[in-house]
Structures are given as C-alpha cells and as structure tokens.
Amino acid sequence: MAEMEKKPVIIDCDTGVDDALALLLCLKRLDVVGITAVGGNVGLAATQRNTRFVVETAGRMDVPVYAGYDRPMLVPLQDASEVHGAGGLGKVQVPEPKKPLEKQHAVDFLIDTYMARDDVTLITLAPLTNIAHALLKEPKLAKRIPEILCMGGSTVGGNATPAAEFNIFVDPEAAKIVFESGIPIRMVGLNLTRQQVVTREMGEKIAAIQNPAAQLAAQLCGDRNGKPGRDSFCDACAVMWLVEPSVITKSAKMHVTIETKGEFTRGMTVCDTRPFRANRPEVDIEREWLFEPLPKGKEPNVEVALELDQAKFDQALLAVMEEYSQS
C-alpha cells in the first residue's frame, strides 16, 4: 500500500494490552500523524511509556507521542490494572524506551494539528479526557475534526459497571462533551467487541512470524487467551473499521447520549434503539430501522458498529504482522 494512500489519523490511547495491538495495526496500515496518551487502563506514567515502547517496537521512531491528562475531569481515576496488570501490558516487561516523549502537551498538539488541517480522523481508544479538554480550550475543533472513531460504550450493558463500559465510565463528563460536540462519531462498543475472541491457535500463528512487532503481538495474545469475558481485543476491533473495513459487517445510526448523573447508570451510553426493536430473541436489536419511535426520539448522532467477521479479523491481523517482516 503506497504511503500516499494511507488514511491520516491521530490516536488517543491509554496503552494497555488491547491498545498495544491496535497501535501495531495502525502504525503499519494507516498514516499515524501522532499519538496522545491519557490516564485510563493505568496511570499516565505507564500509558505514555507503553505507547512509546509499542511505537519503538513497530520501528516507527518518526511518530511523535504526547502525554495528556492523568485523571478525569471531575473525579479520581479508577484504572483497570486488575485487567491489564500494574504496568499496563500484562506480563510484558516494558523497558524505558529510547523513543522520547514530546515536550508539548497532548491537548495543544491536538489543537495545533486540527487548526492546521481538517483531514485527520481521530481514533479514541481511551477515556475521552484529552479530547474534551481540547474542545473546551478551542471550540473551533468541533468543525475541524472530520470524524471520531471511538472504542467505548455499548448498546447492551457494561463491564466497568452493569450499565457502563470502562472508557466512558472513567470520564462520563468528557464523553458527554465529545458526544454532544456535533463531530461525526463511529462507536465500537462492547456489543461488537465481544464477538471477537483470541484463540491459542491465533497466538501460535503470530508467534511463528519472526519480527519484533509480531513477537509483541503474540505476547499480548497470550495475555488474553483463556480468560473468558476478557479474551477480546476491544481496541483492535475498533481500529479494524479503518485498517480493514470489511471486518465490520453491520452498523446502524442511532442517537446516543451519555448518562452522567445516574446512581447506577453513570457512564452508560444510552442508545435509542427503539426504532430497531423487534421480537427475535437471537439478536439484541434489529439491523435495520423498523419504525418511528413514539414519542419520536432525537436525530441519530452516532454510527454504532453491530457485527464483526471473526475470520476476516484474524486474516487482517495475520496479514499486518507479516507486513512487518517486509520492511
């Protein structure tokens, strides 16, 4: 794939196990203009270090990495170190990377980049703290960011709480600012990512590929394999919508709002699925708009991913890891 054909993106992440695999996919197949780190899966000191480590492992020392905020807008950080390990990458030992951290703050990098160009898709794989702060500091960004591909939320319940997915739950106020910004959003939530499962066979196939990126990916697969309920690479599923679009086979536009005040539902992505409700128990919601809800809901503001092709995911993952041996 020629360099000029690659889609320009900025990635905002809290690099844990699944972010790392997503970064490896993007660094090979997309034009990564820069990467911003935020506190989430673990604290910022670890997420920015892990990000630099992955970039270095991918052989992409040219891609700048910026540190942003270490905590949500209004509440203390509740991390996911019980899932990703204290260092964020499971059992992977992360040395201090040679790749330096940029001195500029992530929010200022986002503002400077988007005020200069409006053709860069923003991929968010983390709590939306950095993005919300950028929008508050420079409101013009809402007209400059062409689209956001967001790993977060769910149409059918959460993992951080019964109602809320982790990335949205950590900073619901930030998510609310972003989702109400008017920027076109594609949301990849738990309802989609749970359709992808890491198998031992896949890990072994990747381990057989002799390059540093594939060896890291094999370690990441090993960390997730055999952990029911935690054996999906959520962030990798999300970036596949750009890396290999055929992996996402169904999506639907609906209105999504963020709950910030609920006693039991704080951080919930409240998806108006009323037009998609039917009587088939084998699907969460229908894939086509069936009828007007009564009372009529708000206009759709988010395109929500609904179905994933596991075989195509595996094919794309293997293909990218092989490509790291070719350059």
Side-chain angles (χ1 to χ4, degrees):
M1 188 182 289
E3 193 73 35
M4 61 186 293
E5 294 174 5
K6 292 183 177 180
K7 188 175 188 65
V9 300
I10 289 173
I11 305 167
D12 186 73
C13 54
D14 55 344
T15 302
V17 175
D18 57 330
D19 306 69
L21 190 67
L23 286 174
L24 290 174
L25 291 167
C26 293
L27 287 162
K28 180 53 70 175
R29 286 286 185 88
L30 304 175
D31 173 16
V32 182
V33 176
I35 304 173
T36 52
V38 69
N41 286 324
V42 285
L44 181 66
T47 62
Q48 57 87 358
R49 179 203 64 198
N50 294 348
T51 303
R52 291 184 291 128
F53 169 70
V54 174
V55 169
E56 189 174 299
T57 303
R60 292 301 307 277
M61 299 292 276
D62 57 307
V63 176
V65 176
Y66 303 83
Y69 283 88
D70 192 24
R71 55 163 291 167
M73 302 185 86
L74 297 183
V75 293
L77 175 64
Q78 295 188 43
D79 68 22
S81 53
E82 74 282 359
V83 176
H84 294 269
L89 290 186
K91 297 190 177 103
V92 177
Q93 296 299 310
V94 182
E96 182 58 32
K98 295 184 180 67
K99 166 78 182 165
L101 185 68
E102 302 297 322
K103 291 185 171 60
Q104 188 179 29
H105 193 279
V107 164
D108 295 319
F109 164 71
L110 289 166
I111 292 170
D112 287 354
T113 304
Y114 282 109
M115 291 310 289
R117 55 190 296 191
D118 59 3
D119 62 335
V120 184
T121 293
L122 178 56
I123 299 174
T124 65
L125 308 177
L128 291 161
T129 312
N130 285 342
I131 317 307
H133 276 290
L135 286 166
L136 290 176
K137 189 171 182 180
E138 179 47 87
K140 291 177 185 165
L141 250 54
K143 300 279 193 238
R144 303 289 302 173
I145 299 173
E147 72 164 341
I148 293 174
L149 174 59
C150 171
M151 192 280 123
S154 176
T155 59
V156 293
N159 56 358
T161 72
E165 178 274 332
F166 176 80
N167 282 346
I168 307 298
F169 173 75
V170 167
D171 199 344
E173 283 76 22
K176 186 174 175 67
I177 288 168
V178 174
F179 273 67
E180 292 179 358
S181 67
I183 299 168
I185 294 174
R186 288 197 265 176
M187 181 179 111
V188 180
L190 297 176
N191 58 291
L192 184 287
T193 64
R194 69 181 187 186
Q195 297 171 30
Q196 185 269 326
V197 175
V198 181
T199 63
R200 187 180 303 277
E201 293 73 27
M202 173 54 61
E204 289 171 353
K205 285 179 182 176
I206 294 173
I209 302 171
Q210 295 301 312
N211 66 62
Q215 292 302 301
L216 174 57
Q219 284 183 280
L220 299 170
C221 288
D223 183 80
R224 285 293 162 94
N225 188 38
K227 294 181 179 175
R230 288 182 178 167
D231 52 0
S232 300
F233 281 98
C234 297
D235 294 337
C237 291
V239 301
M240 280 294 187
W241 215 344
L242 295 178
V243 169
E244 187 55 65
S246 63
V247 170
I248 306 297
T249 57
K250 284 281 185 182
S251 63
K253 292 184 177 177
M254 61 187 72
H255 190 270
V256 181
T257 192
I258 310 297
E259 176 56 64
T260 57
K261 296 186 174 71
E263 180 180 359
F264 305 110
T265 55
R266 178 174 162 79
M268 181 179 182
T269 42
V270 183
C271 301
D272 189 354
T273 58
R274 290 176 294 174
F276 302 93
R277 288 289 172 195
N279 301 319
R280 290 193 299 150
E282 68 271 22
V283 296
D284 298 319
I285 58 174
E286 290 294 339
R287 282 19 184 171
E288 304 296 334
W289 187 287
L290 295 182
F291 54 85
E292 288 292 330
L294 294 173
K296 181 163 171 49
K298 294 182 178 178
E299 288 301 309
N301 63 335
V302 176
E303 184 174 356
V304 179
L306 296 175
E307 291 182 16
L308 169 143
D309 186 320
Q310 169 89 46
K312 286 185 177 174
F313 179 99
D314 291 349
Q315 278 177 341
L317 177 57
L318 278 172
V320 172
M321 292 306 135
E322 292 277 11
E323 285 164 25
Y324 272 102
S325 296
Q326 297 160 18
S327 58

